[in-house]
Amino acid sequence: MEFHFFVNVPKVGVDGYLDGSDRIRMYERIISQYAPDRPLDVLEIGVFMAGLSRHLMVSLKDRIGNYIGVDPYIGDDTDMYFRNYWKSDKSVAESAFEHSKGVFEKLGATLTRAMSDEYLQSNSRMFDVIIVDGDHREEACLKDLQLAWKRLKEGGLLLCDDFANPDHPGVTRAVTLFDRQFKDVRPEFGTDFTF
C-alpha cells in the first residue's frame, strides 16, 4: 500500500505577492497525473470562494467522479477568519457560502457546511485525493492532516496548501510534524515538496 503526500510551497511573483494561479495549475498537474485509469473522488477542506474547486472541476472534468468541499463559513467572532476574510460581518461569510454553493451545484458537486474535523470523524467515505487548506493554525492543521490521512484510499494523494508561506507558520510546523510522524511508521509514505 503506497500513499503520497504533496505539499504546496507558494511561489512569490515579481511584485512580491503570492502567485495563486501557479498554485492552481500545480494542483491540476499533480491530480491529472494520478491514477489516470479511473475517476477520482476528491475532498477539498477549506473551500472559501471555490476558486480552486471550480478550476479543478472544469479542467479535470473527465477525471473527477465526485467532488466534495467542506468549509464551515462560521462568520462570527469565534471564527479566526472573522476579521480578515469576513470583514467582521457575518453577512460576508453567508454571501461567500452562497456563492461557493452555487459553484458546486452548477458543477454537480457537493459543498458541506461543517468543521473539517467533525466531517472527517463522522464520515467513513474514502477519497482518492484530499486537499487540506482549512484552519491554518498548527494544531488544527495537524489534526486535519491526521484525520484526512485515515480517509485516503490505498495509494491516495494528500495535498496540503501554504507550506512555507510566511503568513501561515502554523501550517509549516504542522506539515513538518506530520511528515516526521508518518515517515517513522509508514515506510510506503512519500513526501514531495513542490518548490
Side-chain angles (χ1 to χ4, degrees), residues 13-14 22 57 61 66 69 75 93 98-99 109 143-144 148 164 176 179 188:
V14 292
D22 278 355
M57 285 187 269
K61 66 178 181 273
N66 295 294
E98 290 302 324
H99 166 81
K143 188 174 186 180
D144 278 349
T176 303
D179 186 47
E188 68 278 13

Side-chain angles (χ1 to χ4, degrees), residues 99-163:
H99 166 81
S100 298
K101 185 173 124 184
V103 169
F104 272 68
E105 288 174 352
K106 181 179 178 185
L107 295 169
T110 304
L111 177 58
T112 301
R113 194 171 189 175
M115 298 295 288
S116 54
D117 59 340
E118 292 169 4
Y119 177 84
L120 290 165
Q121 289 173 332
S122 67
N123 193 313
S124 60
R125 186 171 189 164
M126 301 297 281
F127 297 91
D128 297 291
V129 178
I130 301 177
I131 301 165
V132 174
D133 190 17
D135 190 326
H136 286 52
R137 293 173 291 184
E138 179 179 351
E139 186 177 320
C141 182
L142 181 59
K143 188 174 186 180
D144 278 349
L145 291 168
Q146 291 166 335
L147 292 171
W149 186 256
K150 295 175 183 176
R151 302 272 54 96
L152 273 182
K153 292 179 184 177
E154 182 175 339
L157 296 176
L158 178 57
L159 301 142
C160 186
D161 197 47
D162 286 318
F163 179 84

